[in-house]
Amino acid sequence: MEDLDKIYWTLQEAEGNLLGLLSNPIQDLLSDDELLQFTPMRVEKRKTEWLLGRLTAKSLVTSPNLPFAGVRFSSITIANHPEGAPFIAKPRSHGCISISHRQNIAVCAFTPSPDMTIGIDIEQIESRELSFVEDFFTQSEADYTKQLQEETRHLWSTLVWSAKEAVLKAWQKGLRLDTRSIEIFPIDPETLEHTSTQWKSIKWKANIKGFPQCWLGWQRWKNFVITLACTTLDKESQPDPAEIIRIQLENFPIIN
């Protein structure tokens, strides 16, 4: 990959529940367009997640040496395409951004490449009912799920679900497509249970035509699974780990 094709990502835990911003959102952090979207929200959980995702994304893209370094948060508008994928609407630029949040934790990925789309997802490792597996997993995925010991089964089913979401986000479709249009190949329990902060590749196939190839990877963070997908010319090609860069945020706003 060239420098333009680097992927930058970050993870941010919320301080409390962002109630300082919920009660006083006009703190030079949201654009006028974002305030119009934020103000009508009534459910506090939804407001908190939305704000955390936006602030994490803005903190990432304004980090040193990234395209919007030095730009005020209120000058940046993160909007959503009709099918749900976020994008930087103002200031206009090329590139792709992806956001995910669970349990007051947000992850965000960004690439300045005009030729790549990306998807990032975070999921808490937890049990999933057999009915969920049968409804949203392929038959092969479901059969493998049932073979695993309980703890490994929880990790595997979380990984499968997250990986599907990451690919669907990279395709800019989200859950508007059938999750069974993506099939994750089995990962042996020893590999699943090996905790690492390095991205590990996931083998998968598309059960649907007309969408680009993707590289897909995952890592575990505490009791969460993080997955990342990026479109490539060759699904088997793996990005150089040096080209997937985690940014430690130094500019995430302190909310009183």
Side-chain angles (χ1 to χ4, degrees), residues 174-230:
L175 292 175
R176 287 162 177 78
L177 285 181
D178 188 340
T179 56
R180 289 168 294 188
S181 63
I182 295 161
E183 184 166 305
I184 308 302
F185 291 176
I187 301 174
D188 68 86
E190 184 175 344
T191 300
L192 277 173
E193 294 163 4
H194 177 67
T195 303
S196 171
T197 57
Q198 298 296 317
W199 292 103
K200 300 181 283 292
S201 295
I202 299 172
K203 291 185 178 181
W204 67 284
K205 70 176 182 179
N207 295 325
I208 188 173
K209 295 181 179 180
F211 291 93
Q213 304 285 1
C214 287
W215 172 83
L216 179 61
W218 76 287
Q219 62 177 262
R220 183 171 177 173
W221 179 80
K222 296 183 178 179
N223 196 41
F224 293 83
V225 165
I226 304 170
T227 53
L228 176 67
C230 63

Side-chain angles (χ1 to χ4, degrees), residues 158-169:
T158 300
L159 172 58
V160 170
W161 179 250
S162 183
K164 290 173 182 284
E165 286 227 48
V167 173
L168 291 172
K169 288 181 177 182

Side-chain angles (χ1 to χ4, degrees), residues 28-196:
D28 202 30
L29 298 175
L30 300 178
S31 69
D32 290 341
D33 289 339
E34 289 171 329
L35 282 170
L36 288 175
Q37 184 178 356
F38 170 85
T39 302
M41 294 182 187
R42 293 290 177 261
V43 179
E44 185 173 293
K45 179 177 183 294
R46 166 61 177 152
K47 295 175 77 172
T48 301
E49 290 177 343
W50 186 90
L51 285 167
L52 177 59
R54 288 304 191 272
L55 295 182
T56 300
K58 292 186 180 191
S59 298
L60 174 61
V61 301
T62 59
S63 293
N65 301 316
L66 267 72
F68 299 96
V71 177
R72 294 170 60 176
F73 280 22
S74 58
S75 297
I76 299 173
T77 296
I78 299 175
N80 294 88
H81 291 295
E83 292 187 323
F87 69 100
I88 299 175
K90 298 178 184 178
R92 288 191 174 277
S93 70
H94 54 67
C96 183
I97 195 166
S98 182
I99 302 169
S100 180
H101 35 66
R102 291 291 183 278
Q103 299 293 328
N104 282 343
I105 298 166
V107 292
C108 177
F110 171 76
T111 177
S113 171
D115 303 316
M116 180 195 304
T117 55
I118 56 177
I120 196 167
D121 187 71
I122 183 169
E123 298 289 344
Q124 187 171 18
I125 299 170
E126 58 189 3
S127 64
R128 283 170 169 77
E129 298 293 336
L130 182 58
S131 58
F132 176 91
V133 171
E134 291 175 338
D135 284 344
F136 296 106
F137 287 17
T138 67
Q139 189 62 56
S140 294
E141 291 167 341
D143 289 345
Y144 186 64
T145 301
K146 297 170 187 177
Q147 297 175 18
L148 297 171
Q149 297 296 320
E150 183 176 6
E151 289 189 11
T152 306
R153 184 169 68 248
H154 297 337
L155 174 56
W156 162 252
S157 59
T158 300
L159 172 58
V160 170
W161 179 250
S162 183
K164 290 173 182 284
E165 286 227 48
V167 173
L168 291 172
K169 288 181 177 182
W171 283 351
Q172 305 286 281
K173 290 295 181 182
L175 292 175
R176 287 162 177 78
L177 285 181
D178 188 340
T179 56
R180 289 168 294 188
S181 63
I182 295 161
E183 184 166 305
I184 308 302
F185 291 176
I187 301 174
D188 68 86
E190 184 175 344
T191 300
L192 277 173
E193 294 163 4
H194 177 67
T195 303
S196 171

